[in-house]
């Protein structure tokens, strides 16, 4: 049995070389689970870390109830780690937060009231604590993405989101997919999203995995990949079938 099926919400925490932050994640997220408005668990996805992140993840999962993990054989990038988490989660809803804890896990309380009406609820980082150059890069990339996708999302890079699991599993996945969640959700019938302002903090430990290329150039390239994929996206609904026998 998939242990995550016992919960309403699975909080996916992608990890790549974040050994210094794993204990902090345990402290913050572990304290939140008992007071979360819905039954929730944590699913670490170690994305082929080359440091001691996986060792630390194993330790905190042994020590803490409702903590689970998946380890990927090699680094697949954030989109690959998210897909692995979505594929493994058996709960009704899927949450996502980064292991750097620059967003506050308690702000899931701000997103959850809207999840019944929106397949995707995502945070907007209020008063961002990133360096000015990083904010400028993000602003340019977001503007170009909106020009291509018309998704109207304000802050696609905010690592605090909740999705309906059935919608998330129908998302066409590709490298860079995590940048287009509102647009990809919108390809499905009834797909819509809601944005909510959340808190943002400076990174406490570890090193950011983002640089000029994967924050600016790569997202621009991915916009054209999304445009190509959108024109070929297959979205069907079955009108009739005799495959299911209700008598069995």
């Amino acid at each position: 049995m998939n242990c995550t099926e016992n919960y309403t919400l699975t909080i996916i925490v992608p990890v790549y070389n974040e050994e210094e932050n794993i204990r902090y994640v345990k402290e913050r997220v572990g304290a939140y689970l008992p007071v979360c408005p819905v039954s929730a668990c944590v699913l670490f996805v170690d994305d082929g870390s080359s440091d001691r992140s996986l060792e630390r993840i194993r330790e905190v999962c042994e020590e803490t109830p409702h903590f689970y993990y998946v380890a990927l054989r090699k680094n697949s990038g954030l989109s690959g780690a998210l897909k692995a988490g979505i594929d493994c989660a058996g709960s009704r809803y899927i949450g996502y937060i980064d292991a750097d804890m620059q967003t506050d896990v308690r702000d899931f309380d701000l997103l959850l009231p809207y999840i019944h009406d929106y397949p995707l609820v995502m945070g907007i980082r209020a008063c961002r604590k990133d360096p000015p150059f990083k904010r400028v890069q993000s602003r340019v990339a977001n503007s170009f993405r909106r020009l291509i996708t018309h998704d109207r999302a304000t802050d696609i890079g905010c690592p605090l989101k909740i999705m309906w699991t059935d919608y998330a599993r129908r998302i066409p996945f590709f490298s860079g997919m995590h940048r287009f969640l509102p647009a990809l959700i919108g390809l499905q019938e009834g797909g819509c999203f809601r944005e909510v302002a959340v808190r943002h903090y400076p990174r406490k430990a570890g090193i950011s995995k983002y640089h000029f290329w994967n924050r600016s150039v790569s997202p621009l390239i991915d916009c054209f990949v999304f445009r190509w994929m959108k024109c070929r996206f297959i979205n069907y609904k079955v009108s009739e079938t005799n495959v299911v026998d209700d008598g069995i």
Side-chain angles (χ1 to χ4, degrees):
M1 179 180 176
N2 185 334
C3 294
T4 62
E5 293 178 0
N6 297 321
Y7 304 88
T8 302
L9 173 68
T10 299
I11 301 174
I12 297 173
V13 185
V15 175
Y16 179 63
N17 291 349
E18 294 282 2
E19 62 175 308
E20 298 175 56
N21 278 316
I22 301 303
R23 287 283 169 183
Y24 186 52
V25 174
K26 174 196 172 182
E27 174 188 329
R28 298 300 299 273
V29 182
Y32 172 70
L33 294 184
V35 297
C36 180
V38 299
S39 60
C41 66
V42 172
L43 179 62
F44 288 100
V45 181
D46 181 71
D47 189 20
S49 294
S50 57
D51 64 358
R52 301 179 68 184
S53 292
L54 181 56
E55 180 182 339
R56 296 284 181 265
I57 289 170
R58 291 193 188 105
E59 290 172 357
V60 299
C61 286
E62 290 177 359
E63 299 166 358
T64 316
H66 318 299
F67 273 39
Y68 307 97
Y69 76 92
V70 175
L72 305 188
R73 290 185 179 179
K74 63 179 182 179
N75 178 250
S76 300
L78 179 54
S79 293
L82 277 176
K83 175 171 172 52
I86 290 170
D87 288 345
C88 291
S91 55
R92 182 177 182 183
Y93 303 124
I94 292 172
Y96 157 52
I97 190 170
D98 271 353
D100 60 19
M101 291 281 101
Q102 286 193 254
T103 47
D104 196 325
V105 66
R106 295 171 296 180
D107 283 348
F108 275 122
D109 287 1
L110 304 177
L111 275 57
L112 281 166
Y114 302 100
I115 196 59
H116 299 293
D117 300 317
Y118 297 90
L120 169 64
V121 186
M122 50 192 288
I124 302 174
R125 290 168 288 188
C127 303
R128 284 186 63 175
K129 304 303 181 182
D130 292 323
F133 184 59
K134 182 177 179 180
R135 295 199 299 268
V136 170
Q137 287 178 301
S138 296
R139 192 175 299 120
V140 172
N142 272 316
S143 298
F144 188 80
R145 189 206 71 255
R146 285 193 294 268
L147 180 66
I148 295 294
T149 65
H150 306 290
D151 62 13
R152 303 184 309 280
T154 305
D155 184 13
I156 192 63
C158 180
L160 195 73
K161 299 177 174 68
I162 302 180
M163 298 175 280
W164 295 358
T165 303
D166 57 342
Y167 271 64
R169 286 181 176 162
R170 293 197 296 266
I171 290 175
F173 281 90
F174 55 92
S175 179
M177 167 279 304
H178 61 278
R179 301 185 181 101
F180 300 94
L181 285 174
L184 292 169
I185 290 287
L187 293 177
Q188 303 179 47
E189 184 173 345
C192 55
F193 68 94
R194 172 79 182 234
E195 293 180 305
V196 180
V198 298
R199 289 167 287 188
H200 191 245
Y201 304 98
R203 175 184 271 271
K204 281 184 171 290
I207 300 173
S208 174
K209 311 308 182 293
Y210 291 95
H211 44 73
F212 177 77
W213 176 266
N214 61 20
R215 188 180 291 118
S216 300
V217 180
S218 184
L220 300 183
I221 296 172
D222 289 340
C223 283
F224 293 104
V225 174
F226 171 81
R227 173 178 278 186
W228 178 90
M229 184 277 305
K230 180 180 179 180
C231 296
R232 291 157 179 80
F233 179 68
I234 298 173
N235 188 18
Y236 69 87
K237 292 191 68 176
V238 174
S239 63
E240 187 176 332
T241 181
N242 70 344
V243 171
V244 179
D245 187 347
D246 294 335
I248 295 180

